[in-house]
Amino acid sequence: MISSLRGVVSHVGLSSAVIDVHGLGMLVQATPQTLAALRTGSEAFIHTAMIVREDSMTLYGFTDADQREVFEILLGVSGVGPRIALAVLAVHTPEAIRVAASTGDDKAFSKVSGIGPKGARRIVLELADKLVPHGTADTPAAPRWQEQVLAAMTGLGWSEKDATAAIEDTAAEHPDVAAAGNVGEILKLTLRRLGTDGARASSRRKAG
């Protein structure tokens, strides 16, 4: 089994990348976050998991071993295949997934495209004893763009709670935009999701 790759990135697409390992181009499926860290022409090292089926062999790439571990555990849940497992990691960090599983937060999983309420509950039930949080000390800090968007929205009059929830929903629906960290675009999409714009939010703040 191929557990890691080191080579020169020859192509980065929307859902996959090609890494040249001694002249052999290896196609790797990955999350937008992982792909965003790759640069064409630069050397890269990624952890991988290989899924072998009757008619195919597919490599999935991850920035660290923890992501790969959570991916493989997710595959053990009935009804969860590689595509869904990767989608979960595109929306949530490994630690967030561990916390959601251990606390029974099925709503965290229902935010992922392709997972309905029943599927989310099944995931929580089957992962309850398999994923344990590493602890708050190991919890990744919020991305810089998230802090900036949150500051902008609270400045426009939204409560921190409402703004945070809306930003998380936007990131779940637009993982590619979140991975790029485009503050202006994420803010626009989040305000649109709330059915308003900056001017109306500002008026709301003044009225309060």
Side-chain angles (χ1 to χ4, degrees), residues 155-175:
L156 289 170
W158 297 100
S159 70
E160 184 173 339
K161 179 181 178 181
D162 290 343
T164 299
I167 293 169
E168 290 177 350
D169 288 341
T170 298
E173 290 185 4
H174 305 277

Side-chain angles (χ1 to χ4, degrees), residues 86-159:
L86 204 64
V88 173
L89 282 165
V91 175
H92 301 295
T93 64
E95 184 68 2
I97 295 170
R98 293 176 188 278
V99 171
S102 64
T103 59
D105 182 10
D106 57 301
K107 290 183 179 180
F109 294 101
S110 63
K111 290 181 178 180
V112 179
S113 176
I115 300 179
K118 290 183 179 179
R121 286 193 291 272
R122 183 174 64 250
I123 290 174
V124 166
L125 288 173
E126 295 190 28
L127 290 183
D129 299 325
K130 297 179 181 178
L131 287 176
V132 179
H134 289 160
T136 55
D138 296 326
T139 303
R144 178 61 179 165
W145 66 259
Q146 186 170 331
E147 296 176 359
Q148 293 174 330
V149 175
L150 180 60
M153 292 191 67
T154 53
L156 289 170
W158 297 100
S159 70

Side-chain angles (χ1 to χ4, degrees), residues 195-207:
T196 187
D197 56 24
R200 286 177 59 191
S202 180
S203 298
R204 174 180 168 178
R205 179 184 59 177
K206 292 177 181 179

Side-chain angles (χ1 to χ4, degrees), residues 25-39:
M26 307 293 285
L27 179 65
V28 181
Q29 305 292 322
T31 65
Q33 294 91 326
T34 297
L35 295 170
L38 302 178
R39 297 289 181 271

